[in-house]
Amino acid sequence: MKTQFLLLNEKIKFFIVLFLLTTFASLAQISGNQIYGNNNYNSNNYNQTTTINSNTISINDNTLAVSVRILLNKKADEFVITLGLNEENESVKGCNQKINSRINGFIGKLKTINIKPENTYVDFISQTKIYDFNTNDATAKQFEKGFEIKKNIIISTLNALNLEKIITLASEYEIYDVIKVDYFNTDLDAIHNSLFDEALRLAESKKNSYLK
């Protein structure tokens, strides 16, 4: 019986299936208004990390497959927050003057928390006409009221504590729309290499345990 087991193992090819999942501990702290676009945001993210085949070892006459799943919680090195604002006016020129005045005042105020102008970027989003209605008895007539301009302000910071300060300063300039907050690590290659090495070690351990 022992001999048959060894002969069988000599014919088995060993495969490793690696599922490397990298996440950051602070990822769930702030989602911004993007969460409203998807009511299943949290549940979908959860399913993406849990619907992987739960079998860690499978075997037939020719193949021994070992799967490894790794989850890493790592503090982010940089944070990028995107804020949205809009301005309405009877003319495009008036829109631009008002919205730029709010943006420039806000960016200047960011210096008080050591965020320099070069750490900000203003992204033009849209310029549209806006309309209103005149009502007369049972009839309503549409007329052109003016224009609306929308812009985003993208701000990067290395300090997570600055995020709430940024939101507070933005409110002073009637900027209330927190669109999203992105989290970044500067050493992704090193993180992935570390995960891969650990996955290989775990797969080898699982294989050896099974063969015993």
Side-chain angles (χ1 to χ4, degrees), residues 40-187:
N40 296 321
Y41 178 81
N42 289 331
S43 60
N44 285 346
N45 277 355
Y46 177 78
N47 289 336
Q48 288 174 3
T49 61
T50 58
T51 55
I52 300 172
N53 189 345
S54 60
N55 294 328
T56 58
I57 296 179
S58 62
I59 187 169
N60 57 36
D61 290 342
N62 298 308
T63 304
L64 169 64
V66 175
S67 65
V68 177
R69 291 178 292 177
I70 297 179
L71 178 65
L72 174 64
N73 291 316
K74 186 174 178 60
K75 183 178 179 181
D77 299 317
E78 182 179 1
F79 308 86
V80 177
I81 182 171
T82 302
L83 304 175
L85 71 160
N86 67 300
E87 187 66 59
E88 296 180 4
N89 196 267
E90 294 179 354
S91 67
V92 173
K93 181 179 180 179
C95 277
N96 266 318
Q97 288 177 341
K98 288 187 175 182
I99 198 170
N100 288 338
S101 176
R102 291 163 62 195
I103 291 172
N104 292 334
F106 172 55
I107 292 177
K109 202 67 174 288
L110 290 175
K111 295 178 182 178
T112 61
I113 56 174
N114 296 320
I115 296 180
K116 300 177 181 179
E118 52 263 35
N119 297 124
T120 65
Y121 176 76
V122 178
D123 188 16
F124 184 90
I125 302 301
S126 66
Q127 173 185 298
T128 56
K129 291 182 178 180
I130 54 177
Y131 299 88
D132 204 346
F133 292 89
N134 282 327
T135 58
N136 184 11
D137 297 329
T139 62
K141 184 177 181 180
Q142 186 183 62
F143 68 95
E144 186 179 302
K145 183 180 179 180
F147 298 87
E148 179 186 46
I149 289 179
K150 294 182 179 181
K151 293 185 178 183
N152 285 348
I153 308 173
I154 303 168
I155 307 159
S156 63
T157 177
L158 302 179
N159 188 352
L161 298 178
N162 278 341
L163 295 176
E164 289 192 9
K165 295 177 182 178
I166 290 171
I167 294 171
T168 300
L169 291 176
S171 67
E172 297 178 11
Y173 297 87
E174 299 181 4
I175 303 171
Y176 306 112
D177 189 4
V178 182
I179 297 174
K180 65 175 180 176
V181 178
D182 294 313
Y183 302 79
F184 297 96
N185 278 90
T186 57
D187 57 345

Side-chain angles (χ1 to χ4, degrees), residues 13-26:
K13 296 179 180 178
F14 176 48
F15 291 92
I16 304 174
V17 183
L18 302 179
F19 300 101
L20 303 183
L21 307 177
T22 306
T23 188
F24 304 117
S26 54

